[in-house]
Amino acid sequence: MRTPTPHLSMEGEVSHAMNVLFPARQFACPVHGSIEASDLETLVIDSSVFQRLRRIKQLGNTHYVFPSATHTRFSHSLGVMHLAGRLFDAFLPSWGDTRTPRAVQEACARLRARVRMAGLLHDVGHGPFSHHFEHMLVANTPHGPARPLRYGEWAAKAKDFALPPSWLREEKRQEFLNDALAHEHYTYGLVNMLEKWLKRAYGKAAEAFDAQGLCSLLDERLAPSPTLVHDETVLSRWLAPKNGDQANERDVNSLHRCLKSILSSDIDADRMDYLQRDSLHSGLRISLDLRHLFASVSLEWSHTSGRFVVLVKPNAVGAIEQILIARKQMFNQVYHHRVTASFDELLKISMHYWMRETGVEAPSTLQAFLSLADEDVLRELTKLTLNADVEHESHERLALKMFLTRTPPVRREEREVPTSQAVQLCSDLLKIHRDLGKQDIVQVNLKEFFRPDRDVIASPKDVLFVDTGRSPVPLRLSSEVLQSSAWREARTRVVANEPLEASAARRELKARLALHVGCVLPTEKEPAAARSQRQQGPAAPKPKPQVSKRRTENPQPGPSTPAQRPARRRRA
């Protein structure tokens, strides 16, 4: 029988009966080895909300370029949960020590469980084709998608989708309501719905599931739950004893920001997992020194700034820079590959066409959202393409057929420029290639590898500091990588493709469609009359002409006469 780990056994939120009925589970992972899930985490993993991630690919269309990149959000979420727990233990290595007060141990156990659960559920809102699901979250009109939907207007239409008003921070309420509808909003709605399901099915055994607290660890605009604030207050008093028994709100907020950095920062668990997992499945091997990093970070009270910070030892700055460089390498070579970007553009056009033709809108209920996965959208797109006609198709249907047959457009030119020059470059490329007619331009954002708040000398959002022996220095000022121009200037890759019509002819799209839909293509030399005759069916047999039996007087030797037969060579 498996012996539970000390950390998981101290959660104290699941009864002994639940431990017997639903024992903790272990998952084999090619990246992290064995991943252990607690009792409550096992219940969440077995739910339909989380099982749907088995049908959502982690990298969308990337497997068209890297065939092995077919891993799913399911395995990625398990890895994030595992690394989130390891980061928490690295931040507070002595929380489970016997000399630590019992109240602090219990509070830390609950905080660790919440951090792991937030890592497990951080991606449940991803729709078909992962980030490309945002293309469906638009206002559908007869003339095509006009504008993105706002969370406030969609929540008013979809009642089970709306979050309780108490979840929103008062100063961030309007910003959250005006935010464009994205997969994060579906994540918060699903976590809220999952809490109701668990407590209705398992009662007190599921009381440890704190939906509001989990979502507040994923989005700073959401207020933490009262139980989460209580545990953070207990931990704050223990880590900063000089403040006395009264922990002020600033201390709790800074501690909450440090715990949130486990899931969203330069060294968060999400980034650590997807860099290793995506590189493994794409064939681009990278190496991260996570063991050294975990041994060199800690959550400390800074007397200089008067708040909690994540302190990094100087010899671990290289391990953090290794993560940053690996991320840039993956973006350049895998995530924003030019062929993948072309497939993404074809998919975007195809999804807009499908939504306009069928009247499909963004899922207005969470149950409808749970029924959507990659293969469901592919099945609906395939229904719109049942013929091999290419010459008389519209631009949208041509893009749809090229996507379904995995036929990328032909590239004409590719450049990488600062983002501020991308629009002008697109205009210049259109002028240069006027002879091509309509030009298909694909802009691939290579991301900003820095945040604007890093340019502020004394930013209150800084969490990562380097221990220099005197006063901690922000990581952004201690890392040579973050100070380089590659991280201080956002760049965009602009790919200019041939028009789809020209690319379809050059790539022989008609023949590829014949293989895809099983059609019989007419040959080019077949006359139109014979083609229509073949399509109408077999015609009545014609009468044979009568041949005269009288021989001609001087018959001409035919090609089969001995006079015109070539002489055969004799064998030696």
Side-chain angles (χ1 to χ4, degrees), residues 32 83 86-87 90 267 271-273 275-276 286-297 312-313 315-326:
H32 309 297
L83 290 180
R86 291 188 61 185
L87 267 176
I267 57 171
R271 181 175 302 182
M272 291 179 185
D273 181 82
L275 286 178
Q276 296 182 94
I286 63 173
S287 177
L288 302 181
D289 192 4
L290 298 186
R291 181 177 299 181
H292 184 203
L293 180 61
F294 290 155
S296 305
V297 296
V312 182
K313 294 180 180 179
N315 58 0
V317 174
I320 297 178
E321 291 178 340
Q322 192 179 28
I323 297 176
L324 299 174
I325 295 173

PDB file of all heavy atoms in Angstrom, residues 32 83 86-87 90 267 271-273 275-276 286-297 312-313 315-326:
ATOM      1  N   HIS A  32       8.832  14.549 -16.114  1.00  0.00           N
ATOM      2  CA  HIS A  32       9.101  14.661 -14.683  1.00  0.00           C
ATOM      3  C   HIS A  32       9.148  13.310 -13.969  1.00  0.00           C
ATOM      4  O   HIS A  32       9.287  13.279 -12.749  1.00  0.00           O
ATOM      5  CB  HIS A  32       8.030  15.533 -14.016  1.00  0.00           C
ATOM      6  CG  HIS A  32       7.819  16.847 -14.693  1.00  0.00           C
ATOM      7  ND1 HIS A  32       8.808  17.799 -14.778  1.00  0.00           N
ATOM      8  CD2 HIS A  32       6.735  17.369 -15.334  1.00  0.00           C
ATOM      9  CE1 HIS A  32       8.346  18.856 -15.433  1.00  0.00           C
ATOM     10  NE2 HIS A  32       7.092  18.619 -15.780  1.00  0.00           N
ATOM     11  N   LEU A  83       5.130  20.815 -10.814  1.00  0.00           N
ATOM     12  CA  LEU A  83       6.168  21.827 -10.626  1.00  0.00           C
ATOM     13  C   LEU A  83       5.715  22.943  -9.694  1.00  0.00           C
ATOM     14  O   LEU A  83       6.541  23.536  -8.989  1.00  0.00           O
ATOM     15  CB  LEU A  83       6.574  22.411 -11.981  1.00  0.00           C
ATOM     16  CG  LEU A  83       7.351  21.476 -12.909  1.00  0.00           C
ATOM     17  CD1 LEU A  83       7.689  22.177 -14.212  1.00  0.00           C
ATOM     18  CD2 LEU A  83       8.621  20.988 -12.239  1.00  0.00           C
ATOM     19  N   ARG A  86       6.539  21.780  -6.287  1.00  0.00           N
ATOM     20  CA  ARG A  86       7.976  21.828  -6.041  1.00  0.00           C
ATOM     21  C   ARG A  86       8.453  23.261  -5.819  1.00  0.00           C
ATOM     22  O   ARG A  86       9.334  23.508  -4.974  1.00  0.00           O
ATOM     23  CB  ARG A  86       8.722  21.210  -7.217  1.00  0.00           C
ATOM     24  CG  ARG A  86       8.532  19.704  -7.363  1.00  0.00           C
ATOM     25  CD  ARG A  86       9.450  19.143  -8.427  1.00  0.00           C
ATOM     26  NE  ARG A  86      10.850  19.369  -8.083  1.00  0.00           N
ATOM     27  CZ  ARG A  86      11.873  19.066  -8.896  1.00  0.00           C
ATOM     28  NH1 ARG A  86      11.622  18.529 -10.096  1.00  0.00           N
ATOM     29  NH2 ARG A  86      13.114  19.294  -8.533  1.00  0.00           N
ATOM     30  N   LEU A  87       7.903  24.215  -6.552  1.00  0.00           N
ATOM     31  CA  LEU A  87       8.279  25.616  -6.350  1.00  0.00           C
ATOM     32  C   LEU A  87       7.826  26.111  -4.980  1.00  0.00           C
ATOM     33  O   LEU A  87       8.539  26.875  -4.316  1.00  0.00           O
ATOM     34  CB  LEU A  87       7.683  26.486  -7.461  1.00  0.00           C
ATOM     35  CG  LEU A  87       8.567  26.738  -8.683  1.00  0.00           C
ATOM     36  CD1 LEU A  87       7.807  27.526  -9.736  1.00  0.00           C
ATOM     37  CD2 LEU A  87       9.834  27.473  -8.292  1.00  0.00           C
ATOM     38  N   ALA A  90      10.197  24.932  -2.557  1.00  0.00           N
ATOM     39  CA  ALA A  90      11.463  25.669  -2.653  1.00  0.00           C
ATOM     40  C   ALA A  90      11.344  27.044  -1.998  1.00  0.00           C
ATOM     41  O   ALA A  90      12.290  27.524  -1.366  1.00  0.00           O
ATOM     42  CB  ALA A  90      11.872  25.816  -4.115  1.00  0.00           C
ATOM     43  N   ILE A 267       9.858  32.666 -14.023  1.00  0.00           N
ATOM     44  CA  ILE A 267      10.262  31.287 -13.671  1.00  0.00           C
ATOM     45  C   ILE A 267       9.054  30.504 -13.165  1.00  0.00           C
ATOM     46  O   ILE A 267       9.158  29.730 -12.219  1.00  0.00           O
ATOM     47  CB  ILE A 267      11.388  31.286 -12.620  1.00  0.00           C
ATOM     48  CG1 ILE A 267      10.962  32.056 -11.362  1.00  0.00           C
ATOM     49  CG2 ILE A 267      12.662  31.876 -13.187  1.00  0.00           C
ATOM     50  CD1 ILE A 267      11.928  31.906 -10.201  1.00  0.00           C
ATOM     51  N   ARG A 271       5.687  27.840 -17.491  1.00  0.00           N
ATOM     52  CA  ARG A 271       6.766  27.997 -18.472  1.00  0.00           C
ATOM     53  C   ARG A 271       7.773  26.857 -18.370  1.00  0.00           C
ATOM     54  O   ARG A 271       8.249  26.343 -19.389  1.00  0.00           O
ATOM     55  CB  ARG A 271       7.457  29.340 -18.257  1.00  0.00           C
ATOM     56  CG  ARG A 271       8.569  29.636 -19.219  1.00  0.00           C
ATOM     57  CD  ARG A 271       9.106  31.033 -19.012  1.00  0.00           C
ATOM     58  NE  ARG A 271       8.073  32.033 -19.174  1.00  0.00           N
ATOM     59  CZ  ARG A 271       8.292  33.349 -19.073  1.00  0.00           C
ATOM     60  NH1 ARG A 271       9.494  33.797 -18.801  1.00  0.00           N
ATOM     61  NH2 ARG A 271       7.304  34.203 -19.241  1.00  0.00           N
ATOM     62  N   MET A 272       8.117  26.465 -17.152  1.00  0.00           N
ATOM     63  CA  MET A 272       9.088  25.387 -16.984  1.00  0.00           C
ATOM     64  C   MET A 272       8.599  24.086 -17.613  1.00  0.00           C
ATOM     65  O   MET A 272       9.375  23.329 -18.208  1.00  0.00           O
ATOM     66  CB  MET A 272       9.366  25.158 -15.500  1.00  0.00           C
ATOM     67  CG  MET A 272      10.120  26.267 -14.819  1.00  0.00           C
ATOM     68  SD  MET A 272      10.364  25.887 -13.068  1.00  0.00           S
ATOM     69  CE  MET A 272      11.132  27.407 -12.503  1.00  0.00           C
ATOM     70  N   ASP A 273       7.306  23.816 -17.500  1.00  0.00           N
ATOM     71  CA  ASP A 273       6.795  22.561 -18.044  1.00  0.00           C
ATOM     72  C   ASP A 273       6.673  22.610 -19.552  1.00  0.00           C
ATOM     73  O   ASP A 273       7.129  21.690 -20.244  1.00  0.00           O
ATOM     74  CB  ASP A 273       5.437  22.236 -17.427  1.00  0.00           C
ATOM     75  CG  ASP A 273       4.885  20.910 -17.945  1.00  0.00           C
ATOM     76  OD1 ASP A 273       5.299  19.862 -17.414  1.00  0.00           O
ATOM     77  OD2 ASP A 273       4.064  20.928 -18.875  1.00  0.00           O
ATOM     78  N   LEU A 275       8.150  24.389 -21.793  1.00  0.00           N
ATOM     79  CA  LEU A 275       9.421  24.444 -22.506  1.00  0.00           C
ATOM     80  C   LEU A 275      10.036  23.049 -22.614  1.00  0.00           C
ATOM     81  O   LEU A 275      10.511  22.650 -23.691  1.00  0.00           O
ATOM     82  CB  LEU A 275      10.382  25.388 -21.795  1.00  0.00           C
ATOM     83  CG  LEU A 275      10.096  26.884 -21.934  1.00  0.00           C
ATOM     84  CD1 LEU A 275      11.104  27.707 -21.135  1.00  0.00           C
ATOM     85  CD2 LEU A 275      10.113  27.312 -23.394  1.00  0.00           C
ATOM     86  N   GLN A 276      10.036  22.303 -21.524  1.00  0.00           N
ATOM     87  CA  GLN A 276      10.605  20.952 -21.561  1.00  0.00           C
ATOM     88  C   GLN A 276       9.732  19.994 -22.364  1.00  0.00           C
ATOM     89  O   GLN A 276      10.220  19.196 -23.163  1.00  0.00           O
ATOM     90  CB  GLN A 276      10.770  20.427 -20.136  1.00  0.00           C
ATOM     91  CG  GLN A 276      11.765  21.213 -19.292  1.00  0.00           C
ATOM     92  CD  GLN A 276      11.915  20.624 -17.904  1.00  0.00           C
ATOM     93  OE1 GLN A 276      12.790  19.825 -17.635  1.00  0.00           O
ATOM     94  NE2 GLN A 276      11.030  21.031 -17.014  1.00  0.00           N
ATOM     95  N   ILE A 286      16.101  20.847 -25.347  1.00  0.00           N
ATOM     96  CA  ILE A 286      16.695  21.886 -24.526  1.00  0.00           C
ATOM     97  C   ILE A 286      16.881  21.327 -23.119  1.00  0.00           C
ATOM     98  O   ILE A 286      16.237  20.351 -22.728  1.00  0.00           O
ATOM     99  CB  ILE A 286      15.822  23.158 -24.476  1.00  0.00           C
ATOM    100  CG1 ILE A 286      14.466  22.849 -23.830  1.00  0.00           C
ATOM    101  CG2 ILE A 286      15.658  23.766 -25.850  1.00  0.00           C
ATOM    102  CD1 ILE A 286      13.631  24.075 -23.603  1.00  0.00           C
ATOM    103  N   SER A 287      17.748  21.945 -22.365  1.00  0.00           N
ATOM    104  CA  SER A 287      18.049  21.469 -21.021  1.00  0.00           C
ATOM    105  C   SER A 287      17.893  22.623 -20.039  1.00  0.00           C
ATOM    106  O   SER A 287      18.444  23.713 -20.259  1.00  0.00           O
ATOM    107  CB  SER A 287      19.475  20.910 -20.966  1.00  0.00           C
ATOM    108  OG  SER A 287      19.812  20.508 -19.654  1.00  0.00           O
ATOM    109  N   LEU A 288      17.129  22.392 -18.976  1.00  0.00           N
ATOM    110  CA  LEU A 288      16.917  23.380 -17.920  1.00  0.00           C
ATOM    111  C   LEU A 288      17.449  22.817 -16.607  1.00  0.00           C
ATOM    112  O   LEU A 288      17.160  21.667 -16.255  1.00  0.00           O
ATOM    113  CB  LEU A 288      15.433  23.731 -17.782  1.00  0.00           C
ATOM    114  CG  LEU A 288      14.725  24.279 -19.025  1.00  0.00           C
ATOM    115  CD1 LEU A 288      13.276  24.584 -18.701  1.00  0.00           C
ATOM    116  CD2 LEU A 288      15.431  25.507 -19.568  1.00  0.00           C
ATOM    117  N   ASP A 289      18.199  23.627 -15.886  1.00  0.00           N
ATOM    118  CA  ASP A 289      18.777  23.211 -14.617  1.00  0.00           C
ATOM    119  C   ASP A 289      17.809  23.564 -13.485  1.00  0.00           C
ATOM    120  O   ASP A 289      18.048  24.478 -12.689  1.00  0.00           O
ATOM    121  CB  ASP A 289      20.132  23.891 -14.412  1.00  0.00           C
ATOM    122  CG  ASP A 289      20.912  23.289 -13.250  1.00  0.00           C
ATOM    123  OD1 ASP A 289      20.420  22.305 -12.663  1.00  0.00           O
ATOM    124  OD2 ASP A 289      21.990  23.814 -12.924  1.00  0.00           O
ATOM    125  N   LEU A 290      16.697  22.832 -13.410  1.00  0.00           N
ATOM    126  CA  LEU A 290      15.675  23.153 -12.425  1.00  0.00           C
ATOM    127  C   LEU A 290      16.111  22.766 -11.014  1.00  0.00           C
ATOM    128  O   LEU A 290      15.724  23.430 -10.044  1.00  0.00           O
ATOM    129  CB  LEU A 290      14.364  22.442 -12.785  1.00  0.00           C
ATOM    130  CG  LEU A 290      13.728  22.834 -14.121  1.00  0.00           C
ATOM    131  CD1 LEU A 290      12.374  22.156 -14.273  1.00  0.00           C
ATOM    132  CD2 LEU A 290      13.583  24.332 -14.249  1.00  0.00           C
ATOM    133  N   ARG A 291      16.887  21.720 -10.874  1.00  0.00           N
ATOM    134  CA  ARG A 291      17.316  21.308  -9.538  1.00  0.00           C
ATOM    135  C   ARG A 291      18.152  22.411  -8.870  1.00  0.00           C
ATOM    136  O   ARG A 291      17.970  22.712  -7.692  1.00  0.00           O
ATOM    137  CB  ARG A 291      18.117  20.017  -9.637  1.00  0.00           C
ATOM    138  CG  ARG A 291      18.589  19.484  -8.291  1.00  0.00           C
ATOM    139  CD  ARG A 291      19.309  18.159  -8.443  1.00  0.00           C
ATOM    140  NE  ARG A 291      18.436  17.145  -9.018  1.00  0.00           N
ATOM    141  CZ  ARG A 291      18.818  15.887  -9.246  1.00  0.00           C
ATOM    142  NH1 ARG A 291      20.063  15.515  -8.952  1.00  0.00           N
ATOM    143  NH2 ARG A 291      17.978  15.030  -9.773  1.00  0.00           N
ATOM    144  N   HIS A 292      19.043  22.998  -9.635  1.00  0.00           N
ATOM    145  CA  HIS A 292      19.850  24.100  -9.096  1.00  0.00           C
ATOM    146  C   HIS A 292      18.980  25.303  -8.779  1.00  0.00           C
ATOM    147  O   HIS A 292      19.176  25.988  -7.765  1.00  0.00           O
ATOM    148  CB  HIS A 292      20.944  24.476 -10.104  1.00  0.00           C
ATOM    149  CG  HIS A 292      21.880  25.526  -9.622  1.00  0.00           C
ATOM    150  ND1 HIS A 292      22.617  26.313 -10.472  1.00  0.00           N
ATOM    151  CD2 HIS A 292      22.181  25.944  -8.358  1.00  0.00           C
ATOM    152  CE1 HIS A 292      23.347  27.153  -9.758  1.00  0.00           C
ATOM    153  NE2 HIS A 292      23.103  26.952  -8.484  1.00  0.00           N
ATOM    154  N   LEU A 293      17.998  25.561  -9.635  1.00  0.00           N
ATOM    155  CA  LEU A 293      17.124  26.709  -9.412  1.00  0.00           C
ATOM    156  C   LEU A 293      16.273  26.529  -8.170  1.00  0.00           C
ATOM    157  O   LEU A 293      16.125  27.460  -7.359  1.00  0.00           O
ATOM    158  CB  LEU A 293      16.235  26.911 -10.649  1.00  0.00           C
ATOM    159  CG  LEU A 293      15.238  28.077 -10.586  1.00  0.00           C
ATOM    160  CD1 LEU A 293      15.969  29.394 -10.429  1.00  0.00           C
ATOM    161  CD2 LEU A 293      14.369  28.105 -11.829  1.00  0.00           C
ATOM    162  N   PHE A 294      15.688  25.347  -7.981  1.00  0.00           N
ATOM    163  CA  PHE A 294      14.853  25.107  -6.811  1.00  0.00           C
ATOM    164  C   PHE A 294      15.642  25.212  -5.512  1.00  0.00           C
ATOM    165  O   PHE A 294      15.085  25.561  -4.469  1.00  0.00           O
ATOM    166  CB  PHE A 294      14.198  23.720  -6.904  1.00  0.00           C
ATOM    167  CG  PHE A 294      13.143  23.630  -7.971  1.00  0.00           C
ATOM    168  CD1 PHE A 294      12.829  22.412  -8.551  1.00  0.00           C
ATOM    169  CD2 PHE A 294      12.473  24.751  -8.405  1.00  0.00           C
ATOM    170  CE1 PHE A 294      11.858  22.314  -9.534  1.00  0.00           C
ATOM    171  CE2 PHE A 294      11.500  24.669  -9.387  1.00  0.00           C
ATOM    172  CZ  PHE A 294      11.201  23.453  -9.955  1.00  0.00           C
ATOM    173  N   ALA A 295      16.914  24.917  -5.572  1.00  0.00           N
ATOM    174  CA  ALA A 295      17.748  25.000  -4.373  1.00  0.00           C
ATOM    175  C   ALA A 295      18.253  26.412  -4.110  1.00  0.00           C
ATOM    176  O   ALA A 295      18.921  26.633  -3.090  1.00  0.00           O
ATOM    177  CB  ALA A 295      18.930  24.049  -4.506  1.00  0.00           C
ATOM    178  N   SER A 296      17.934  27.354  -4.991  1.00  0.00           N
ATOM    179  CA  SER A 296      18.503  28.701  -4.878  1.00  0.00           C
ATOM    180  C   SER A 296      17.457  29.792  -4.771  1.00  0.00           C
ATOM    181  O   SER A 296      17.797  30.973  -4.874  1.00  0.00           O
ATOM    182  CB  SER A 296      19.411  28.980  -6.092  1.00  0.00           C
ATOM    183  OG  SER A 296      20.395  27.981  -6.234  1.00  0.00           O
ATOM    184  N   VAL A 297      16.180  29.462  -4.598  1.00  0.00           N
ATOM    185  CA  VAL A 297      15.134  30.474  -4.457  1.00  0.00           C
ATOM    186  C   VAL A 297      14.439  30.281  -3.112  1.00  0.00           C
ATOM    187  O   VAL A 297      14.375  29.168  -2.581  1.00  0.00           O
ATOM    188  CB  VAL A 297      14.100  30.387  -5.603  1.00  0.00           C
ATOM    189  CG1 VAL A 297      14.744  30.691  -6.940  1.00  0.00           C
ATOM    190  CG2 VAL A 297      13.445  29.011  -5.649  1.00  0.00           C
ATOM    191  N   VAL A 312      16.626  35.237  -4.983  1.00  0.00           N
ATOM    192  CA  VAL A 312      17.400  34.313  -5.808  1.00  0.00           C
ATOM    193  C   VAL A 312      18.878  34.490  -5.481  1.00  0.00           C
ATOM    194  O   VAL A 312      19.377  35.613  -5.389  1.00  0.00           O
ATOM    195  CB  VAL A 312      17.160  34.566  -7.312  1.00  0.00           C
ATOM    196  CG1 VAL A 312      17.935  33.562  -8.153  1.00  0.00           C
ATOM    197  CG2 VAL A 312      15.680  34.507  -7.633  1.00  0.00           C
ATOM    198  N   LYS A 313      19.580  33.377  -5.310  1.00  0.00           N
ATOM    199  CA  LYS A 313      21.016  33.447  -5.063  1.00  0.00           C
ATOM    200  C   LYS A 313      21.738  33.878  -6.346  1.00  0.00           C
ATOM    201  O   LYS A 313      21.291  33.568  -7.453  1.00  0.00           O
ATOM    202  CB  LYS A 313      21.541  32.098  -4.601  1.00  0.00           C
ATOM    203  CG  LYS A 313      21.006  31.669  -3.239  1.00  0.00           C
ATOM    204  CD  LYS A 313      21.578  30.316  -2.834  1.00  0.00           C
ATOM    205  CE  LYS A 313      21.030  29.891  -1.473  1.00  0.00           C
ATOM    206  NZ  LYS A 313      21.557  28.562  -1.044  1.00  0.00           N
ATOM    207  N   ASN A 315      24.364  32.825  -7.844  1.00  0.00           N
ATOM    208  CA  ASN A 315      24.817  31.760  -8.743  1.00  0.00           C
ATOM    209  C   ASN A 315      23.672  31.081  -9.486  1.00  0.00           C
ATOM    210  O   ASN A 315      23.910  30.200 -10.310  1.00  0.00           O
ATOM    211  CB  ASN A 315      25.623  30.715  -7.973  1.00  0.00           C
ATOM    212  CG  ASN A 315      24.815  30.106  -6.827  1.00  0.00           C
ATOM    213  OD1 ASN A 315      23.654  30.452  -6.603  1.00  0.00           O
ATOM    214  ND2 ASN A 315      25.438  29.195  -6.102  1.00  0.00           N
ATOM    215  N   ALA A 316      22.419  31.447  -9.190  1.00  0.00           N
ATOM    216  CA  ALA A 316      21.269  30.853  -9.883  1.00  0.00           C
ATOM    217  C   ALA A 316      20.725  31.769 -10.975  1.00  0.00           C
ATOM    218  O   ALA A 316      19.760  31.390 -11.655  1.00  0.00           O
ATOM    219  CB  ALA A 316      20.157  30.532  -8.884  1.00  0.00           C
ATOM    220  N   VAL A 317      21.319  32.944 -11.149  1.00  0.00           N
ATOM    221  CA  VAL A 317      20.851  33.844 -12.208  1.00  0.00           C
ATOM    222  C   VAL A 317      21.051  33.198 -13.579  1.00  0.00           C
ATOM    223  O   VAL A 317      20.221  33.339 -14.489  1.00  0.00           O
ATOM    224  CB  VAL A 317      21.584  35.201 -12.127  1.00  0.00           C
ATOM    225  CG1 VAL A 317      21.222  36.104 -13.302  1.00  0.00           C
ATOM    226  CG2 VAL A 317      21.256  35.890 -10.811  1.00  0.00           C
ATOM    227  N   GLY A 318      22.130  32.450 -13.734  1.00  0.00           N
ATOM    228  CA  GLY A 318      22.367  31.753 -15.000  1.00  0.00           C
ATOM    229  C   GLY A 318      21.301  30.720 -15.311  1.00  0.00           C
ATOM    230  O   GLY A 318      20.930  30.533 -16.476  1.00  0.00           O
ATOM    231  N   ALA A 319      20.787  30.038 -14.281  1.00  0.00           N
ATOM    232  CA  ALA A 319      19.725  29.054 -14.506  1.00  0.00           C
ATOM    233  C   ALA A 319      18.440  29.739 -14.970  1.00  0.00           C
ATOM    234  O   ALA A 319      17.695  29.195 -15.803  1.00  0.00           O
ATOM    235  CB  ALA A 319      19.467  28.260 -13.225  1.00  0.00           C
ATOM    236  N   ILE A 320      18.172  30.941 -14.432  1.00  0.00           N
ATOM    237  CA  ILE A 320      16.988  31.696 -14.878  1.00  0.00           C
ATOM    238  C   ILE A 320      17.187  32.186 -16.307  1.00  0.00           C
ATOM    239  O   ILE A 320      16.264  32.133 -17.135  1.00  0.00           O
ATOM    240  CB  ILE A 320      16.723  32.865 -13.918  1.00  0.00           C
ATOM    241  CG1 ILE A 320      16.389  32.332 -12.519  1.00  0.00           C
ATOM    242  CG2 ILE A 320      15.593  33.744 -14.434  1.00  0.00           C
ATOM    243  CD1 ILE A 320      16.155  33.414 -11.490  1.00  0.00           C
ATOM    244  N   GLU A 321      18.385  32.671 -16.624  1.00  0.00           N
ATOM    245  CA  GLU A 321      18.652  33.117 -17.990  1.00  0.00           C
ATOM    246  C   GLU A 321      18.554  31.958 -18.972  1.00  0.00           C
ATOM    247  O   GLU A 321      18.162  32.145 -20.129  1.00  0.00           O
ATOM    248  CB  GLU A 321      20.041  33.749 -18.051  1.00  0.00           C
ATOM    249  CG  GLU A 321      20.137  35.067 -17.313  1.00  0.00           C
ATOM    250  CD  GLU A 321      21.535  35.645 -17.346  1.00  0.00           C
ATOM    251  OE1 GLU A 321      22.490  34.871 -17.591  1.00  0.00           O
ATOM    252  OE2 GLU A 321      21.683  36.864 -17.130  1.00  0.00           O
ATOM    253  N   GLN A 322      18.881  30.777 -18.511  1.00  0.00           N
ATOM    254  CA  GLN A 322      18.738  29.590 -19.357  1.00  0.00           C
ATOM    255  C   GLN A 322      17.282  29.377 -19.753  1.00  0.00           C
ATOM    256  O   GLN A 322      16.976  29.006 -20.894  1.00  0.00           O
ATOM    257  CB  GLN A 322      19.292  28.380 -18.612  1.00  0.00           C
ATOM    258  CG  GLN A 322      19.483  27.133 -19.449  1.00  0.00           C
ATOM    259  CD  GLN A 322      20.047  25.994 -18.629  1.00  0.00           C
ATOM    260  OE1 GLN A 322      19.829  25.918 -17.427  1.00  0.00           O
ATOM    261  NE2 GLN A 322      20.773  25.103 -19.277  1.00  0.00           N
ATOM    262  N   ILE A 323      16.358  29.612 -18.807  1.00  0.00           N
ATOM    263  CA  ILE A 323      14.929  29.493 -19.103  1.00  0.00           C
ATOM    264  C   ILE A 323      14.508  30.554 -20.116  1.00  0.00           C
ATOM    265  O   ILE A 323      13.748  30.275 -21.059  1.00  0.00           O
ATOM    266  CB  ILE A 323      14.115  29.607 -17.808  1.00  0.00           C
ATOM    267  CG1 ILE A 323      14.451  28.450 -16.865  1.00  0.00           C
ATOM    268  CG2 ILE A 323      12.626  29.629 -18.106  1.00  0.00           C
ATOM    269  CD1 ILE A 323      13.764  28.540 -15.522  1.00  0.00           C
ATOM    270  N   LEU A 324      15.006  31.783 -19.950  1.00  0.00           N
ATOM    271  CA  LEU A 324      14.645  32.864 -20.856  1.00  0.00           C
ATOM    272  C   LEU A 324      15.146  32.592 -22.273  1.00  0.00           C
ATOM    273  O   LEU A 324      14.419  32.796 -23.255  1.00  0.00           O
ATOM    274  CB  LEU A 324      15.216  34.189 -20.335  1.00  0.00           C
ATOM    275  CG  LEU A 324      14.726  34.646 -18.964  1.00  0.00           C
ATOM    276  CD1 LEU A 324      15.490  35.894 -18.519  1.00  0.00           C
ATOM    277  CD2 LEU A 324      13.236  34.911 -18.965  1.00  0.00           C
ATOM    278  N   ILE A 325      16.373  32.125 -22.389  1.00  0.00           N
ATOM    279  CA  ILE A 325      16.935  31.852 -23.713  1.00  0.00           C
ATOM    280  C   ILE A 325      16.217  30.677 -24.370  1.00  0.00           C
ATOM    281  O   ILE A 325      15.935  30.689 -25.578  1.00  0.00           O
ATOM    282  CB  ILE A 325      18.445  31.574 -23.591  1.00  0.00           C
ATOM    283  CG1 ILE A 325      19.170  32.837 -23.103  1.00  0.00           C
ATOM    284  CG2 ILE A 325      19.023  31.112 -24.919  1.00  0.00           C
ATOM    285  CD1 ILE A 325      20.633  32.617 -22.796  1.00  0.00           C
ATOM    286  N   ALA A 326      15.894  29.647 -23.582  1.00  0.00           N
ATOM    287  CA  ALA A 326      15.165  28.508 -24.137  1.00  0.00           C
ATOM    288  C   ALA A 326      13.790  28.929 -24.646  1.00  0.00           C
ATOM    289  O   ALA A 326      13.330  28.449 -25.696  1.00  0.00           O
ATOM    290  CB  ALA A 326      15.029  27.413 -23.084  1.00  0.00           C
TER     291      ALA A 326
END
